[in-house]
Amino acid sequence: MKITIKLSETNNALLNRVVKEEKVDASEFANNAFLDKFLPVSEKLGIEAGFILQEHEAGTLNAWLVKQSISRGIRWLGKHPIRDNAILKQILERFPFGAEDNGKISTCNECVQSDMDRVVALLKERVPGYVPTKNGYDGLVEDVLANWEYIWDEAIVYNVLSTIVYTNEPKKDFDWYDGLKLLHLIDFAAWQQWCDA
């Protein structure tokens, strides 16, 4: 489907000026502007988004690859923690971890279980009267998101959430657009956190 774009007077003037003064091709400039809307600014997230675009254009992208890129984006947040967990909620609601889903978290291996134990210990240490919502690790995602204000700045929390996304299947697969959009929103959340600091 082809879409025709009608530029505002201001955008048309800007495009004419950049074409004239910077000697760029109008179509190339417009294509780059579209990509800039979706691509993260951060280098590592930009690499993930570039990979998704490259594989999509080559016809070799699958939902598993997109999910892995999103998982690595969550892990990146461990070095760029965010107080507002809206983007994490948006990602994790695609998985069957909610109370209504009665989902089970795949713990994968002893190393992951050890990290999950560390997160549970953090919750017990920092959240007054904390009691896990479910036995084992099955309520961990809900507990983490519900008590985010107490643990948002701990890298281990992002590592565990990243691993949970990596090792579990979503209710609905992520496609290439989802991957680009979510990586961009992860990037934006981190920039917003640290630019407002």
Side-chain angles (χ1 to χ4, degrees):
M1 167 172 84
K2 287 198 174 199
I3 298 173
T4 303
I5 299 172
K6 182 172 174 31
L7 294 176
S8 70
E9 191 174 316
T10 301
N11 286 343
N12 193 47
L14 286 169
L15 182 60
N16 280 310
R17 186 86 180 249
V18 77
V19 166
K20 180 180 177 185
E21 290 188 13
E22 297 181 25
K23 310 271 190 270
V24 299
D25 177 74
S27 294
E28 183 179 335
F29 181 83
N31 282 317
N32 286 334
F34 276 107
L35 288 177
D36 287 346
K37 162 68 176 140
F38 292 99
L39 294 180
V41 177
S42 303
E43 182 182 5
K44 289 190 178 189
L45 297 178
I47 290 169
E48 292 293 343
F51 172 75
I52 289 172
L53 274 178
Q54 175 186 321
E55 296 299 306
H56 171 69
E57 290 170 359
T60 55
L61 187 67
N62 61 49
W64 185 84
L65 292 173
V66 176
K67 184 180 77 154
Q68 304 323 307
S69 286
I70 294 167
S71 171
R72 288 187 291 272
I74 294 170
R75 188 171 298 272
W76 176 86
L77 284 172
K79 293 184 179 175
H80 311 276
I82 54 175
R83 271 194 181 93
D84 181 355
N85 66 359
I87 182 59
L88 295 170
K89 286 180 179 178
Q90 186 176 345
I91 293 167
L92 292 162
E93 72 185 9
R94 297 275 291 262
F95 291 83
F97 302 139
E100 69 282 358
D101 297 309
N102 200 23
K104 299 252 186 246
I105 292 177
S106 169
T107 54
C108 197
N109 61 41
E110 287 178 22
C111 182
V112 174
Q113 289 175 19
S114 172
D115 286 350
M116 289 178 171
D117 289 339
R118 288 176 54 200
V119 171
V120 170
L122 266 174
L123 288 165
K124 287 179 179 176
E125 173 188 319
R126 295 187 182 175
V127 179
Y130 171 73
V131 177
T133 56
K134 294 181 184 172
N135 290 333
Y137 303 112
D138 294 331
L140 189 57
V141 170
E142 291 173 87
D143 290 353
V144 163
L145 295 177
N147 295 290
W148 191 250
E149 66 189 282
Y150 299 102
I151 58 173
W152 69 272
D153 57 346
E154 295 291 338
I156 189 68
V157 175
Y158 297 94
N159 290 347
V160 164
L161 292 177
S162 170
T163 301
I164 287 171
V165 167
Y166 184 87
T167 58
N168 290 270
E169 290 305 314
K171 294 183 273 189
K172 179 183 176 213
D173 283 339
F174 296 99
D175 66 14
W176 70 278
Y177 175 80
D178 296 326
L180 291 180
K181 181 180 172 188
L182 292 169
L183 289 169
H184 175 75
L185 290 173
I186 288 170
D187 188 53
F188 183 75
W191 280 101
Q192 189 173 32
Q193 171 71 39
W194 296 105
C195 288
D196 289 348

